[in-house]
Amino acid sequence: MASSSNSPHATATGGAPSAYARTLDCVHCGLCLPVCPTYQVLGVEADSPRGRIYLMRALAEGRVQDPNAIRPFLDRCLDCRACETACPSGVRYGEILETTRGQMETAQPRRGLAAWLTKFLLWHVVARQRRLRVAFALLRTAEVLGLRWLATKLRLIPPAIAQIAPTVPPGAARRPLPTGLHKPPANVRARGVRTALFTGCIMEPMFGRVNRATLQVLLANGFDVDVPAAQRCCGALLVHAGQPDRARELARANVAAFADADVVINNSAGCGCAMKEYGHLVGDAAAAAFAAKCRDVSEFLAEVGLTATPAECRMRAAYDDPCHLCHGQGVRAQPRQLLAQVPGLELVAHRNPEDCCGSAGIYNLLQPELAVEIGRRKIESLAAAGVDLVLTGNPGCMLQIDSHLRRTGHKTRVLHPIELLLPPT
Ligand code: SF4
Ligand code: SF4
């Protein structure tokens, strides 16, 4: 058995069961296997949820001594949590995985250039809004000058990554959303709720238009919207990379930055899911109270009701569920309920709306071959629906689906659902 202070047997922060205790909830029924994207592609037990839980339990019990022996199987997991939805025993797979990754990173940190670069980028660039904005501006310039094309030709970018690495949308990374308190227009009935908008690390520089649409929709529906200047990255990518201490630092900063808000609004499913789990991550009452007031924007608007009718949109659209919204937060009906109120919009179902698209944070860059295959299956399902628009509420999913659609010659546009809730101008 593991005996260090990092032992998985230790009680988790806040008195919750440890990750090891959570592995014991698995009764090995296998009902999660058919929904697991990596098991669907690879067909290997160790690349299934049940197999991974078995491996993590074996590590915790000391039956596996070397974390590197199980690392490739955990690295191939998207942390999509489809297995949690399928599991009849309520196994908290995400919690087990993220805790184990953190313990492995502490016990035996990854070495080499790729590991160093990943850690450097996550902490010194992604988690710092200004630097990230500059990085996207440089990337965009490189794309315009054809440097990306040249780097691909010279094979400086691995071919598997080159074919799916998303491009920076034109107009991205220009000006940040104005911070401070925004009030509804004088002709709109105020609802007396002070919301605060989380703008996200990737959402703002890549899809600033989504943050602007979220702000406009909330104001048009009568809500005060604060955009706190002191907010930081949510820390989800750091948790996934096994660096919970750094994620906790960001979480504490966000708890303080949003202290005055009645409701914290998120339009990025991955960030929203991570922020709803701050109680577990930080383990104090303030973080738990913060987590309790976090809402996805669709969840909030469906709960309070739209008072501003959205502009007409005569198009055929499919809604695709981001994993961290449907599996991570249990939000499925709300975006569909809101989209049903868009005049003229024909919302059609497609085959696998809850299957992962293969984006999963930076998974598509770390596991490009698997991400391509998982993405291909998603596009097949969307293409069969024959739609003009794909709607999904997470920046990573928007980039991944858009990149696959372009690569396969489809003209379908990808938008965030909030963009269709804007009232007529
Ligand atoms: S989180 Fe997703 S990829 Fe990982 S084991 Fe569960 S279903 Fe499979
Ligand atoms: S469905 Fe749940 S209990 Fe069954 S094998 Fe998967 S994780 Fe274990």
Side-chain angles (χ1 to χ4, degrees), residues 150-200:
L150 191 64
T152 306
K153 277 277 170 218
L154 296 174
R155 296 194 156 240
L156 298 176
I157 304 176
I161 291 183
Q163 66 169 315
I164 58 162
T167 52
V168 183
R174 294 242 166 100
R175 279 209 214 112
L177 191 67
T179 54
L181 186 64
H182 301 252
K183 302 288 278 182
N187 61 347
V188 170
R189 182 174 62 86
R191 310 276 284 266
V193 177
R194 184 180 169 118
T195 69
L197 178 60
F198 180 75
T199 53

Side-chain angles (χ1 to χ4, degrees), residues 56-103:
M56 290 187 278
R57 179 177 169 183
L59 182 72
E61 292 175 346
R63 288 183 286 117
V64 169
Q65 296 286 339
D66 180 7
N68 285 327
I70 70 165
R71 207 163 230 158
F73 303 103
L74 302 193
D75 284 352
R76 283 193 286 272
C77 172
L78 298 122
D79 201 4
C80 70
R81 309 205 187 170
C83 47
E84 286 192 11
T85 296
C87 178
S89 304
V91 173
R92 308 264 287 261
Y93 177 86
E95 208 174 300
I96 300 169
L97 177 77
E98 286 163 9
T99 307
T100 305
R101 278 179 172 168
Q103 287 162 345

Side-chain angles (χ1 to χ4, degrees), residues 131-146:
R131 292 181 199 171
L132 188 64
R133 185 172 293 281
V134 171
F136 277 123
L138 292 174
L139 273 177
R140 179 76 192 142
T141 307
E143 280 167 9
V144 170
L145 295 176

Side-chain angles (χ1 to χ4, degrees), residues 25-33 49-50 53 83 86-91 93:
D25 294 337
C26 175
V27 297
H28 321 297
C29 65
L31 289 172
C32 52
L33 269 63
R50 181 176 63 185
I53 291 167
C83 47
C87 178
S89 304
V91 173
Y93 177 86

